[in-house]
Amino acid sequence: MLSIYYDYIVINKLNQPFIFNMQSYSILESLLFFNPIFLFGKEKLKRTISGKTILLTGASFGIGESLALLLADSGAELILVARTEEKLLELQSKIRQMGAKAEIFAADLTKDEDLDKLISYLSSYPKDIDVFVNNAGKSIRRSIFDSLDRYHDFQRTMALNYFTPVKLLLYLIPKLEMTKGQIINVSAVNVLMIPAPKWAAYQASKTAFDQWMRSVAAELRKRRISTSNVYLPLVRTGMIAPTKAYEKMPAMKPAHVAKIIARLIAKRKGSYQPWWAIWGSLASVLFRKIWERFV
Ligand SMILES: NC(=O)c1ccc[n+]([C@@H]2O[C@H](COP(=O)([O-])OP(=O)(O)OC[C@H]3O[C@@H](n4cnc5c(N)ncnc54)[C@H](OP(=O)(O)O)[C@@H]3O)[C@@H](O)[C@H]2O)c1
């Protein structure tokens, strides 16, 4: 019902069907992920994004892949980074067929030498970067008692989710200052809640970078670099596939998330969190015991 109403607003009032088709969601998902601020015209998106040079990490699968295709369709020039070179090549060829520009850089961003190579590649890139989307991420859900011999879980999540964007940004900030650019951090709604059991590695690393971003945001704003945080609930991608418990849980679609991020790029400001995040955050404190049992 709600999704039909949603489509009605978009198609009849705006006549600009740049909107995720909520009908692909269940009723519960439509309720959880409904957000009227996403009414945004496709043409406006093209006008504002076309010609921008966008660096996107984690472009090979999931949210990154959907976002790459949407941004290419909006006329952006893309630099796509991930480990899986064949997938990046496939994506590049699709984007070129769409008439857009995409360069690819295969790198394992947990490795310092790969990060250095990426930075040196960016230094010789002929165009300035307008937008950096920090999207590559590693998630781990594991009890601390199953992690006692797995220090590497904590190293890997910190390496990719925290040290990678920090190192890239230490290089990129002066460049973004020249272009009055933008940083988009793809984060998780968990960082707005009290810490959940079994999520120590992931949540600590995502929260660390969230704190870093929020700390530097005011300084960056003074130099005209804008920052946006995208606090996502579950999204149906390869990341959650190994967790059986998530199969039947409400989850956003990567194509929907891509539209949310594209809109933030077009507006050059704002952040995203689901409408219920503040209530979820409060409930996680008030009903801590129940929260800890079910999360
Ligand atoms: N899915 C969710 O429920 C959810 C919820 C909240 C937030 N998020 C966040 O959303 C972002 C995107 O996740 P997703 O759901 O789209 O997951 P995904 O489908 O697993 O994609 C993760 C991306 O990161 C890349 N990546 C992983 N390890 C890498 C490494 N060592 N070096 C370079 N690239 C690496 C992967 O490419 P390669 O494997 O080719 O390297 C892939 O392109 C992440 O930051 C995640 O934390 C996801």
Side-chain angles (χ1 to χ4, degrees):
M1 205 37 215
L2 192 62
S3 62
I4 294 167
Y5 176 61
Y6 195 77
D7 286 346
Y8 172 82
I9 306 174
V10 173
I11 292 162
N12 293 295
K13 295 274 166 60
L14 294 182
N15 199 26
Q16 286 174 329
F18 169 71
I19 193 78
F20 184 72
N21 181 2
M22 298 294 278
Q23 281 173 358
S24 64
Y25 280 143
S26 68
I27 291 175
L28 179 60
E29 286 172 331
S30 297
L31 281 169
L32 290 174
F33 309 138
F34 176 77
N35 193 330
I37 63 159
F38 296 132
L39 308 179
F40 202 75
K42 192 170 179 174
E43 284 315 309
K44 186 164 179 198
L45 189 77
K46 277 200 171 148
R47 265 201 317 278
T48 44
I49 286 185
S50 184
K52 285 195 175 181
T53 304
I54 301 180
L55 171 65
L56 168 62
T57 62
S60 52
F61 299 102
I63 296 166
E65 181 182 12
S66 293
L67 182 61
L69 291 168
L70 178 60
L71 293 175
D73 190 42
S74 309
E77 179 170 332
L78 300 171
I79 305 170
L80 307 174
V81 184
R83 286 169 304 184
T84 316
E85 191 164 18
E86 316 82 75
K87 195 66 211 295
L88 289 177
L89 282 166
E90 203 182 288
L91 192 57
Q92 183 184 43
S93 136
K94 251 191 223 171
I95 289 174
R96 286 183 174 166
Q97 278 166 25
M98 289 160 67
K101 285 189 189 159
E103 296 303 327
I104 58 164
F105 193 91
D108 181 345
L109 296 173
T110 59
K111 294 187 176 150
D112 228 29
E113 60 272 25
D114 280 22
L115 259 177
D116 288 338
K117 281 184 199 154
L118 173 60
I119 288 172
S120 123
Y121 168 79
L122 294 174
S123 315
S124 59
Y125 198 76
K127 288 185 77 183
D128 294 325
I129 309 281
D130 297 294
V131 183
F132 167 47
V133 184
N134 174 49
N135 171 68
K138 180 167 182 58
S139 162
I140 295 176
R141 180 178 182 267
R142 183 168 288 128
S143 158
I144 192 63
F145 292 103
D146 295 329
S147 310
L148 301 177
D149 57 351
R150 296 182 64 92
Y151 176 58
H152 57 272
D153 278 358
F154 302 90
Q155 287 176 308
R156 282 179 201 158
T157 42
M158 280 307 276
L160 188 62
N161 300 343
Y162 178 71
F163 286 113
T164 291
V166 169
K167 185 160 181 173
L168 280 176
L169 279 167
L170 293 181
Y171 163 76
L172 284 170
I173 283 171
K175 318 279 164 205
L176 291 170
E177 196 179 346
M178 289 192 301
T179 55
K180 298 187 180 60
Q182 184 181 12
I183 304 161
I184 308 255
N185 178 36
V186 181
S187 190
V189 78
N190 312 40
V191 310
L192 305 175
M193 321 267 164
I194 59 166
K198 299 188 183 163
W199 284 105
Y202 181 65
Q203 186 147 353
S205 61
K206 283 296 213 190
T207 306
F209 189 65
D210 180 63
Q211 291 282 314
W212 191 93
M213 274 282 283
R214 284 161 55 200
S215 168
V216 301
E219 287 182 77
L220 296 179
R221 208 164 33 243
K222 283 191 189 140
R223 306 276 184 105
R224 306 263 180 116
I225 301 173
S226 68
T227 57
S228 301
N229 294 301
V230 184
Y231 297 106
L232 296 173
L234 276 188
V235 184
R236 191 77 58 212
T237 66
M239 184 171 274
I240 66 164
T243 312
K244 233 182 151 18
Y246 291 157
E247 269 171 21
K248 298 222 159 72
M249 285 184 64
M252 290 182 87
K253 300 266 167 35
H256 188 185
V257 176
K259 290 190 171 182
I260 289 168
I261 299 174
R263 182 179 182 276
L264 291 174
I265 296 175
K267 287 193 74 121
R268 268 200 95 251
K269 62 175 185 189
S271 283
Y272 168 81
Q273 62 187 49
W275 62 264
W276 44 263
I278 185 146
W279 304 109
S281 175
L282 189 64
S284 73
V285 177
L286 292 179
F287 306 109
R288 184 178 185 128
K289 291 244 160 67
I290 303 173
W291 162 258
E292 286 177 349
R293 201 169 323 142
F294 287 103
V295 175

